[in-house]
Amino acid sequence: MSITTDEDVTAESVPPPTKRQRRAASIADAASGGLRTILIKMVLIGIVDAIALYAIFILALQQDWIVLGVVAVVTAIVNWIYFSRRKLPAKYLTPGVIFLVLFQVFVVVYTGYIAFTNYGTGHNGSKEQAVSSLMAASLERVPDSPTYGVTVVDQLGTLGLLVTDPDGEVSVGTNEQPLQEVQGAELENGKAVAVDGWTSLSFQDVIARTDEITELAVPFSDDPNDGAIRTPDGSNGYLYTSTLEYDEAAGTMTDLTSGTVYTDQGTGAFVAEDGEELRPGWQITVGFDNFVRAVTDSRLAGPLIYVTLWTFAFALISVASTFFLGLFLALVFNDMRMRGRRFYRIAMILPYAIPSFLSALVWAGMMNESFGFINQVLLGGASVPWLTDPTVAKISVLIVNLWLGFPYMFLVCTGALQSIPEDVNEAATVDGASPWQTFRLIKLPLLLVSVAPLLIASFAFNFNNFNVIYMLTNGGPRDTDAPIPVGFTDILISMVYKVAFTGQNRDYGLAAAYSVIIFIVVATISIIAFRRTKSLEEIN
Amino acid sequence: MRVNTKSLLAAGAVAVVATLGLASCAGGNSEGDNGAAGEGGTLTVWVDAERVDALKGAAEAYTEETGVEVKLVGKDNATIKDDFIQQVPTGKGPDITMGAHDWLGELSTNGVVAPLELGDSAGDYLDVAINASTYEGTVYMLPYAVENIAVLRNADLVPEAATSFDDMIAKGKAAGLDQPFVVEQGAEGNPYHLYPFQTAYGAPVFGTNDEGYDPTDLQLGNEGGVEFAKWLGSQGKTGTGVFNTDIDGDIAKQSFLDGKAAFWLTGPWNVGAAVDGGVNVAIDPVPSPTGDVASPFAGVKGFFISSESKNKVAANDFLVNYIGTEDVQLDLFKAGNILPALSAAAESASSDPIIEGFAAVGADAVPMPAIPAMGSVWQYWGIAEAAIINGEDPTATWNKLATDVQAAIDAG
């Protein structure tokens, strides 16, 4: 048959709908709930749009234009997709894509970005913030200077301070105009509250003009070294001198007491010639510095090697031990001759049902050397150093992780075993294969096809299994020879945590760089392993 | 297809709502920003969730008097500091946050905290509170409570206070106890709780100058420190066994509650549990192993003003002229049961014998150093002490500790 004939046939058997038929179809359409669907659609999209509008309103108030733009564009796209008659694939994909971007892509990209900055303690904000913070901190109240009663006053938009000194003398001044004595001020409880030519500000006005008042520093005299009067709360004034001077044109900070000049040398802080830094500094991009430091820092280099080796050992042994125990139990409980299988299976799942960080804490208590349940009750008072001896602690970590991990493998293997058809087994038995041969040559390869990817995922998970290490041993026992606070059971991720987040010095940049490196390692291993598992599939 | 579209729509709506919800959350925190436009402005205050009620009265009274609305936000104590450091530079943090004085080094290094002028009221506070609130010569915190450890004694087992460390152990043994004295340690040691004994040997962590602790003058490794290490070793695993790194906070608490231990070196936060457990508790000074006074660390709690606050004037006024009054300090005391920082309030609170006991010990307490160099000390300190308790050579371990700390300070 030729194509033409085919078309002829189709055209003959299904003629295009007539006008009447189309109308009937649309009526049927509406009767079967089309209108309701549209209404629901309208309501849902309406809710989305209302929230978007609210968000846009708030973001506009905050002048957060980038986020506002993103919200507006996303809302527009969502509206277009769901009101369109086509775009069926997009209707399926949009929610997932939004979540993906929000919770995965953004986090990954942001971590990558942080790895190239010096973000951390002392490099937390922008340069302007650092300068204003340094200037504020450099203000020192003149020793033994009295408290002055002050009233904030206004003259044609220029703010001034009406200052009453402890002797009762009243003077007034502004940022430009040093204090000058005035007569005839109106007094209240010994404090001048108003004077001719100036409008006194009420407390509400003071609060409304906080920014100007924070900047208000009335020179005490013509000599700048005498300091200036500032008021932190609008009613009391104190005499301050500043120890730092910022030269905006030159971009330098000068310490007025010692004469040291601190310059911005592109390191994210003002640095003196002798290398002394002023804190706080600010956040800058530092290129590959963090990555270089991560692998070359002499304090980290030694521990890094054995921590890496232990991380691989921990992940591999954990995967192997949990898999084989899970598989063994799955085989046993899959045997028809076993009675009460259902009960045992439920019991097996229990460790899986308890949150892992909780059970790790419980295990830590049970493994306490002098008071723990294992030593005191099970071993009759033996003091096995479960968590305090380097080697035993490693074994303890593996045991606890085995306890936590085997139920998962048990579940997976049970599922995979039950999907292998029983006749394969029977055929092997008929051919005279022993049970061990059946398992090794037939069941295991079939099982691995479906389980191998999960084993790789499990490896990646255990490689970064922070919970177990942190809750059980916190990396301990500590390696007292190492120059950083690292312990014998620390894996890479917990070491990174300690280096970057413990103590008072946080280094988010370094931590992000380590995370990126760990990600690359895990990704590489996973890719190689997944390639290998393809050969397994050829068994089928 | 229609049915599917509907559920898809629902999912899509949820996703978009989540996106927008996040965006509006980001906006929700900063109402203080545009407060100046309102009647009297708004102060956003982050408060430890347990103390929100205690501050409510003061906040309302302040609003009534000045028209400034005070918005109290209850926060989890464990995350306040990190949230504050991260949010202030973005302009989204609060105007005021509650905190502890040992955050000061970190807050000031990050430039997120503004100086505070107490003016003449500075003299109204306990000395230790003012010292702790001062960093590099500048006051940054309005103190409201002072906290230090002391010895809790089971007065039914041992009716009289011990005069010295040895006397304490002897009294406990006479009462028929195997482990008369317990103190929280753990595998990584707990230098905070051992510090009184260390000071009794004359080995503070840092020397002091007129601006407070001097990070260039590490005193940890002095002769007294080595003497302390030797004593610690003699009371450890290979000696009398008084100190044991297997005793953590829970185990120490349990043995005191069960009457297995008569003396427990701990802080006011555990008194409630002991009293509720039916123990007849008395508060004693820390018995000294030498003749000298055993001074514990004092932790001072207070309020900080954000360096990016748009309402600094109101914030200063609220803290200095309101939180600094006796009534508010007493309200906060009732919520936390720790000694108020304002002298007058501290006096009224000391009518309670337990508070009086802690206050008496606190008179000898020294503020915990807030300088960033302290971070380098904590890293090694507990580990070294734990090693000595577990039988390592005290002199060598202590000297290595001093060298490691010095090296870390020089590197940092």
Side-chain angles (χ1 to χ4, degrees):
Chain A
M1 251 195 275
S2 75
I3 293 163
T4 0
T5 344
D6 207 19
E7 274 180 354
D8 285 346
V9 172
T10 331
E12 247 174 303
S13 54
V14 188
T18 62
K19 209 176 171 187
R20 257 183 83 178
Q21 276 172 322
R22 271 192 310 229
R23 202 184 299 151
S26 75
I27 289 168
D29 211 50
S32 69
L35 188 67
R36 208 169 48 189
T37 318
I38 288 172
L39 271 178
I40 291 172
K41 198 196 249 187
M42 297 286 271
V43 168
L44 287 175
I45 296 278
I47 292 173
V48 169
D49 287 352
I51 292 172
L53 211 63
Y54 174 69
I56 285 174
F57 185 63
I58 284 186
L59 288 167
L61 273 180
Q62 294 208 7
Q63 312 189 332
D64 208 338
W65 305 120
I66 299 176
V67 186
L68 189 149
V70 172
V71 171
V73 169
V74 168
T75 318
I77 292 177
V78 166
N79 274 291
W80 175 62
I81 287 172
Y82 288 104
F83 278 118
S84 154
R85 284 197 165 273
R86 298 161 192 280
K87 305 287 172 292
L88 193 61
K91 282 174 186 164
Y92 279 98
L93 286 173
T94 312
V97 169
I98 291 176
F99 280 125
L100 185 75
V101 170
L102 206 61
F103 296 116
Q104 299 260 324
V105 178
F106 175 73
V107 174
V108 169
V109 170
Y110 192 67
T111 307
Y113 162 71
I114 292 295
F116 291 95
T117 69
N118 63 352
Y119 185 26
T121 299
H123 301 279
N124 208 22
S126 68
K127 187 171 176 179
E128 295 80 61
Q129 284 170 339
V131 169
S132 74
S133 173
L134 283 169
M135 295 312 294
S138 78
L139 288 177
E140 277 180 9
R141 188 173 163 193
V142 174
D144 302 323
S145 66
T147 302
Y148 298 89
V150 301
T151 304
V152 185
V153 288
D154 180 296
Q155 190 176 51
L156 305 172
T158 310
L159 283 186
L161 287 181
L162 184 62
V163 179
T164 318
D165 77 8
D167 301 333
E169 279 179 20
V170 181
S171 38
V172 73
T174 66
N175 268 339
E176 270 77 48
Q177 182 67 48
L179 282 184
Q180 272 179 343
E181 213 169 302
V182 288
Q183 301 296 332
E186 188 183 318
L187 293 176
E188 200 173 278
N189 299 329
K191 177 179 148 184
V193 290
V195 72
D196 284 345
W198 297 81
T199 320
S200 301
L201 263 64
S202 70
F203 188 72
Q204 265 75 17
D205 296 333
V206 167
I207 286 169
R209 295 172 75 172
T210 291
D211 285 350
E212 288 169 78
I213 288 159
T214 327
E215 296 292 313
L216 189 59
V218 179
F220 193 68
S221 71
D222 290 329
D223 180 2
N225 290 326
D226 282 349
I229 299 221
R230 289 165 175 268
T231 175
D233 59 3
S235 59
N236 291 308
Y238 308 94
L239 188 56
Y240 291 96
T241 52
S242 180
T243 52
L244 278 181
E245 193 177 63
Y246 181 54
D247 182 344
E248 196 159 4
T252 56
M253 280 277 179
T254 310
D255 187 331
L256 297 171
T257 46
S258 65
T260 319
V261 177
Y262 297 86
T263 51
D264 172 10
Q265 299 175 347
T267 54
F270 290 109
V271 191
E273 266 175 30
D274 63 356
E276 194 200 339
E277 271 189 16
L278 283 181
R279 289 292 179 92
W282 55 92
Q283 204 177 324
I284 55 163
T285 323
V286 293
F288 282 92
D289 275 12
N290 286 323
F291 292 92
V292 173
R293 205 147 55 92
V295 288
T296 58
D297 189 327
S298 59
R299 299 193 311 143
L300 303 174
L304 189 65
I305 294 171
Y306 65 77
V307 168
T308 310
L309 288 177
W310 162 241
T311 309
F312 276 100
F314 170 74
L316 286 172
I317 297 175
S318 291
V319 172
S321 62
T322 51
F323 174 65
F324 285 113
L325 183 63
L327 177 63
F328 172 74
L329 292 170
L331 284 172
V332 171
F333 293 131
N334 209 33
D335 196 309
M336 291 303 171
R337 287 167 298 178
M338 185 89 182
R339 278 167 181 267
R341 280 176 301 161
R342 207 166 276 186
F343 170 76
Y344 289 124
R345 276 184 183 155
I346 291 170
M348 285 295 113
I349 304 302
L350 274 182
Y352 198 48
I354 304 170
S356 70
F357 56 89
L358 189 65
S359 29
L361 277 178
V362 172
W363 274 95
M366 294 203 301
M367 286 175 158
N368 185 307
E369 191 177 331
S370 349
F371 303 98
F373 181 80
I374 298 181
N375 280 338
Q376 286 301 314
V377 180
L378 295 184
L379 302 177
S383 45
V384 180
W386 289 109
L387 301 174
T388 45
D389 178 81
T391 318
V392 183
K394 283 181 178 167
I395 296 171
S396 304
V397 169
L398 288 170
I399 292 175
V400 173
N401 207 23
L402 172 62
W403 188 82
L404 290 171
F406 84 86
Y408 171 72
M409 292 297 180
F410 169 72
L411 275 177
V412 166
C413 290
T414 305
L417 276 178
Q418 286 174 346
S419 72
I420 297 174
E422 196 53 33
D423 37 351
V424 175
N425 220 352
E426 275 167 30
T429 319
V430 170
D431 285 348
S434 70
W436 170 243
Q437 281 172 322
T438 324
F439 169 72
R440 192 170 60 89
L441 298 172
I442 299 170
K443 275 191 189 167
L444 188 61
L446 283 173
L447 192 82
L448 278 178
V449 174
S450 53
V451 175
L454 296 171
L455 292 182
I456 296 165
S458 168
F459 173 83
F461 173 78
N462 279 309
F463 201 85
N464 286 328
N465 199 340
F466 181 80
N467 278 358
V468 168
I469 303 292
Y470 185 75
M471 293 298 175
L472 189 66
T473 61
N474 193 12
R478 268 277 284 273
D479 178 3
T480 43
D481 292 332
I484 52 166
V486 64
F488 289 104
T489 53
D490 263 321
I491 55 176
L492 279 169
I493 193 78
S494 66
M495 187 185 94
V496 171
Y497 173 80
K498 285 180 173 178
V499 169
F501 298 113
T502 52
Q504 295 197 329
N505 284 315
R506 309 295 165 92
D507 195 337
Y508 301 114
L510 184 66
Y514 270 116
S515 308
V516 170
I517 294 174
I518 292 175
F519 169 75
I520 293 172
V521 170
V522 174
T524 314
I525 293 172
S526 302
I527 291 169
I528 295 173
F530 274 118
R531 290 248 166 108
R532 286 280 176 90
T533 54
K534 274 193 181 161
S535 63
L536 279 174
E537 286 169 23
E538 285 158 21
I539 294 168
N540 278 354
Chain B
M1 265 310 110
R2 285 229 172 77
V3 179
N4 279 336
T5 323
K6 231 192 287 181
S7 55
L8 273 173
L9 265 173
V14 169
V16 177
V17 167
T19 322
L20 304 179
L22 286 178
S24 48
C25 275
N29 276 330
S30 57
E31 276 153 57
D33 284 5
N34 43 41
E39 192 195 339
T42 306
L43 278 179
T44 308
V45 186
W46 281 2
V47 188
D48 175 358
E50 289 170 20
R51 295 197 166 79
V52 173
D53 288 341
L55 267 181
K56 246 181 203 153
E60 279 162 15
Y62 187 72
T63 309
E64 204 163 294
E65 178 152 333
T66 61
V68 176
E69 193 195 329
V70 180
K71 209 176 114 198
L72 301 174
V73 183
K75 295 277 288 185
D76 178 4
N77 210 10
T79 57
I80 289 189
K81 184 180 70 179
D82 287 345
D83 287 356
F84 187 71
I85 292 175
Q86 278 167 18
Q87 292 203 14
V88 168
T90 64
K92 285 174 184 148
D95 299 294
I96 296 173
T97 185
M98 195 178 242
H101 87 272
D102 55 315
W103 300 0
L104 250 181
E106 208 176 336
L107 296 184
S108 136
T109 312
N110 281 313
V112 294
V113 61
L116 184 75
E117 182 56 64
L118 292 177
D120 298 335
S121 68
D124 301 341
Y125 293 88
L126 301 175
D127 284 346
V128 66
I130 290 297
N131 289 341
S133 309
T134 312
Y135 179 72
E136 292 185 340
T138 309
V139 176
Y140 286 95
M141 184 178 81
L142 184 105
Y144 76 84
V146 180
E147 192 168 60
N148 55 267
I149 53 173
V151 166
L152 272 59
R153 173 166 50 90
N154 186 331
D156 292 338
L157 292 174
V158 179
E160 279 170 33
T163 51
S164 71
F165 190 84
D166 293 334
D167 182 46
M168 171 172 76
I169 305 296
K171 279 200 162 91
K173 297 267 188 207
L177 303 169
D178 289 339
Q179 182 93 31
F181 169 72
V182 283
V183 60
E184 171 176 350
Q185 285 299 300
E188 303 212 332
N190 192 321
Y192 176 80
H193 283 92
L194 290 181
Y195 192 65
F197 303 119
Q198 190 179 323
T199 52
Y201 278 94
V205 181
F206 291 106
T208 48
N209 59 19
D210 54 345
E211 291 203 333
Y213 285 102
D214 180 4
T216 57
D217 178 21
L218 187 71
Q219 287 285 328
L220 193 65
N222 70 13
E223 262 174 50
V226 177
E227 288 303 310
F228 162 69
K230 285 181 187 157
W231 173 80
L232 190 62
S234 73
Q235 305 288 342
K237 207 177 201 172
T238 51
T240 59
V242 170
F243 295 112
N244 183 342
T245 54
D246 291 331
I247 298 180
D248 60 17
D250 292 333
I251 292 171
K253 186 184 203 168
Q254 205 54 50
S255 46
F256 185 76
L257 293 182
D258 294 349
K260 286 183 191 158
F263 300 94
W264 181 20
L265 179 55
T266 189
W269 53 88
N270 271 322
V271 173
V275 173
D276 294 346
V279 181
N280 180 8
V281 181
I283 309 295
D284 295 344
V286 184
S288 171
T290 65
D292 295 334
V293 176
S295 323
F297 274 136
V300 178
K301 291 168 181 279
F303 294 87
F304 300 101
I305 298 181
S306 156
S307 61
E308 295 293 310
S309 165
K310 301 281 188 290
N311 277 315
K312 285 214 183 77
V313 173
N316 268 288
D317 188 54
F318 177 63
L319 287 190
V320 177
N321 304 331
Y322 256 81
I323 303 287
T325 56
E326 191 179 343
D327 289 346
V328 177
Q329 295 250 329
L330 280 174
D331 280 347
L332 283 163
F333 158 71
K334 279 169 200 144
N337 237 8
I338 54 176
L339 188 70
L342 194 73
S343 308
E347 227 161 82
S348 332
S350 293
S351 55
D352 177 331
I354 286 182
I355 297 299
E356 192 189 3
F358 276 105
V361 183
D364 292 327
V366 290
M368 188 149 58
I371 48 180
M374 196 62 196
S376 312
V377 178
W378 290 119
Q379 285 180 26
Y380 304 97
W381 201 9
I383 295 302
E385 288 182 347
I388 292 170
I389 290 173
N390 286 328
E392 296 277 328
D393 175 49
T395 316
T397 312
W398 199 261
N399 288 334
K400 185 173 183 308
L401 163 70
T403 328
D404 282 346
V405 169
Q406 191 63 57
I409 291 175
D410 295 343

